[in-house]
Amino acid sequence: MKAVIQRVEKASVSIENTLFSSIGPGLLVLLGVHKDDTEKDIEWLSKKICTLRIFSDESDKMNKSVLDLGYEILVVSQFTLLANCQNGRRPDFIEAASPEIANKFFNEFSKACEREIGKKVALGSFGAKMKVELINSGPVTIIIDSKSDRS
């Protein structure tokens, strides 16, 4: 799984000019599911993101997580994170999971995050054409790959 995590003041998803979901302070997670991902990737990545210390403490040091502060998470599926742009000018997506598997893992990942932070996670709509708006705080943007970042 690949995730782009953005620390936000607020973020929202609209579909056909209608607000679908939104959060206040927290994390916007753009999630791509690889064809070889497993349940271990879901558990590792959800725990990593929910406990990632990228929010400031009283000394203005990055020492707090979304879990520590009770902040929110918005998860948006984004298969384009698995794009391969090595050859030609058009990306290929052969490393991305099939839509059926990606949707299942997207939902399982979201539920794993809910278990970690103890509250509902806001979602984009899998497979929909969405408009994502955010106010990036910092800016802080981090990319995590569950395969290459695990030790």
Side-chain angles (χ1 to χ4, degrees):
M1 295 183 120
K2 283 189 182 179
V4 173
I5 300 124
Q6 295 184 295
R7 187 177 77 181
V8 298
E9 289 182 22
K10 63 181 179 176
S12 64
V13 172
S14 296
I15 301 171
E16 297 180 5
N17 296 317
T18 302
L19 181 64
F20 185 77
S21 61
S22 65
I23 62 168
L27 298 175
L28 169 62
V29 178
L30 305 174
L31 183 71
V33 180
H34 189 277
K35 65 183 181 182
D36 295 333
D37 284 337
T38 68
E39 299 289 330
K40 286 182 181 178
D41 294 286
I42 292 169
E43 291 306 316
W44 182 86
L45 189 60
S46 61
K47 184 175 290 292
K48 175 65 80 174
I49 289 171
C50 293
T51 59
L52 198 60
R53 299 183 323 172
I54 60 173
F55 293 92
S56 297
D57 64 11
E58 306 75 31
S59 302
D60 207 27
K61 301 262 190 251
M62 283 191 188
N63 268 332
K64 300 282 185 174
S65 69
V66 71
L67 177 63
D68 295 330
L69 296 169
Y71 284 172
E72 299 176 281
I73 297 175
L74 170 58
V75 182
V76 176
S77 177
Q78 190 166 353
F79 79 95
T80 58
L81 291 177
L82 281 295
N84 180 339
C85 299
Q86 294 296 328
N87 299 312
R89 295 189 185 344
R90 182 180 309 175
D92 74 54
F93 301 100
I94 59 176
E95 296 301 311
S98 69
E100 298 78 25
I101 292 171
N103 189 21
K104 176 180 182 247
F105 277 47
F106 170 76
N107 289 318
E108 289 179 15
F109 172 82
S110 300
K111 291 198 181 328
C113 287
E114 288 176 352
R115 287 191 298 275
E116 286 294 326
I117 65 171
K119 65 171 145 183
K120 204 85 167 121
V121 167
L123 302 174
S125 179
F126 186 89
K129 188 170 184 175
M130 298 172 273
K131 293 194 190 266
V132 179
E133 293 185 70
L134 67 135
I135 297 179
N136 197 317
S137 176
V140 174
T141 301
I142 295 175
I143 301 169
I144 300 178
D145 185 324
S146 66
K147 299 288 193 252
S148 63
D149 289 345
R150 245 192 289 182
S151 21

